[in-house]
Structures are given as structure tokens and as C-alpha cells.
Amino acid sequence: MKLSSTERKIIENSIRDIKDFPKPGIIFKDISTLLNNKEAYGVLMNHLYQRYKEYNLDYIAGIDARGFIFGAALAQMLGLGFVPIRKKGKLPYTTISEKYALEYGVDEIEVHIDAFSEKENARVLLIDDLIATGGTANAAAKLVNQAGANCVEACFIIGLNFLEGQKNLKETTEVYSLIEVN
Ligand code: AMP
């Protein structure tokens, strides 16, 4: 199920562009104005609920930190558990981790080793606010699979099409972005 053009406009218009944040040349997509707008936030969450209610999911996994906002709300709406995928060093129990390349250097994300253990081959939806290079989401999808679950789709509010992130991630999982930015 895709967004209607009216729904897309409401969501698109609620996202604020901040030029040169956090550094020159980046247009930062600020979703705090979407969360602040009850109509847009409602349209968004209702669309996610309608799309994913038939997916037979077992968990929603959200990427640190904005993926937690949408992921945790959606998990509650669907009656599912939520799993946080966090930046290195934040999770207290035994973790498995995955490194990924940044423009300069590497970063690492982690998940609790038993996060999906209640069900064998659990069907997991991964969620974040935005996909750019896809480094973070690719590492997260791999982590879900390494933890014994099955990442059936990765969902983003915004997909930056001028980067190769979505194309690369499609080798690991299905990809759905509500708003495509060219
Ligand atoms: P990437 O690993 O390059 O796909 O980067 C994705 C992560 O960085 C997501 O968690 C986003 O929240 C954040 N991010 C990257 N670029 C932007 C941007 N232009 N606006 C807002 N968030 C961004």
C-alpha cells in the first residue's frame, strides 16, 4: 500500500529543510516539525499501520535515535514488541555488533543478542527516519539477520535518491521510503 498524493503532501510539507547542518553542503531533513504537527504525524502513523498490519510481523526494530520514535509508536499500534538498534556502548546486556563506513572513519551499531529470541526466524521490520548512503541501515539489517531473525523490509520516512543507499540496501532486504528526494 502506497501513500495517496494528499497524504504525501501533508507529510512532505511538515518536514523542515535546514541548510548547512551539521556541516556545509548538507541539507538536513528536520522531522521534529513533522512530530510537532499532529495532522502530519497522524497521517504518517496511520499509513504505516495500514501498510504493515498485513505483513505478519513479529517485531519492529528502530535505528538509534529517530527510528525509535516511529518504530516504538508503530510497534504499539500493531501490538508488537520493539527492539532498539543502538550506537556502540549503549546497550547493557551481551550484544552483537556491526561496523560500517562513514565519510571519514567507521561507526558501529549493536543489538542485544537475545532481542528476537522469543520466536525462531522472527519477521522484523526495520525503521529509521531517513536513508542517505545506506551504511547505517545496511549494518542494521545485517544485525537483525545475524541475531537469528529475518529483516523482511526496511522503511524510511525519507529516501535520498541522489545517493546509492536504497539501491545497495535492496541486496539485503526490501526497501520502502514514503518520501523520495531527488
Ligand atoms: P546513512 O547511513 O548515510 O544512510 O545515514 C543515515 C542516518 O543519518 C540516519 O539515521 C539519518 O537520521 C541521518 N542522516 C543522514 N543524512 C541526513 C540528512 N540529510 N538529514 C537528516 N538526517 C540525516
Side-chain angles (χ1 to χ4, degrees):
M1 188 208 247
K2 297 274 179 188
L3 272 181
S4 72
S5 59
T6 316
E7 290 173 323
R8 174 167 295 106
K9 271 206 189 82
I10 291 169
I11 296 170
E12 233 163 30
N13 292 341
S14 73
I15 298 167
R16 175 164 62 182
D17 284 359
I18 309 282
K19 261 178 84 181
D20 298 325
F21 183 87
K23 52 185 181 183
I26 306 280
I27 298 176
F28 190 87
K29 295 283 176 185
D30 178 15
I31 52 92
S32 74
T33 44
L34 187 168
L35 297 168
N36 205 241
N37 175 328
K38 61 179 187 275
E39 185 192 15
Y41 192 23
V43 166
L44 170 76
M45 292 313 302
N46 180 55
H47 171 69
L48 293 177
Y49 173 74
Q50 295 300 335
R51 177 177 174 87
Y52 289 112
K53 68 180 184 191
E54 312 293 348
Y55 266 59
N56 219 357
L57 296 167
D58 297 304
Y59 294 94
I60 308 290
I63 299 178
D64 200 344
R66 277 161 281 167
F68 295 171
I69 302 167
F70 305 106
L74 182 62
Q76 267 294 296
M77 290 171 89
L78 292 168
L80 302 173
F82 174 77
V83 173
I85 296 185
R86 299 217 60 181
K87 300 268 167 63
K88 191 177 167 55
K90 302 285 186 188
L91 289 172
Y93 185 59
T94 311
T95 57
I96 52 174
S97 71
E98 185 74 27
K99 290 193 172 72
Y100 58 98
L102 297 174
E103 197 179 352
Y104 302 104
V106 288
D107 216 337
E108 198 166 347
I109 49 172
E110 299 182 323
V111 71
H112 276 148
I113 195 160
D114 60 351
F116 306 105
S117 61
E118 234 170 55
K119 183 150 186 216
E120 214 174 302
N121 264 322
R123 288 171 60 80
V124 177
L125 174 75
L126 184 65
I127 190 160
D128 201 1
D129 65 329
L130 181 144
I131 179 165
T133 66
T136 318
N138 210 16
K142 283 188 189 154
L143 265 188
V144 169
N145 295 341
Q146 280 166 29
N150 176 14
C151 182
V152 293
E153 186 157 289
C155 172
F156 307 92
I157 315 310
I158 305 153
L160 301 187
N161 266 340
F162 51 89
L163 298 170
E164 297 281 276
Q166 304 195 72
K167 205 173 114 203
N168 295 337
L169 184 58
K170 279 181 186 153
E171 289 170 24
T172 310
T173 186
E174 298 291 322
V175 179
Y176 176 61
S177 298
L178 280 77
I179 311 280
E180 305 274 2
V181 177
N182 294 306

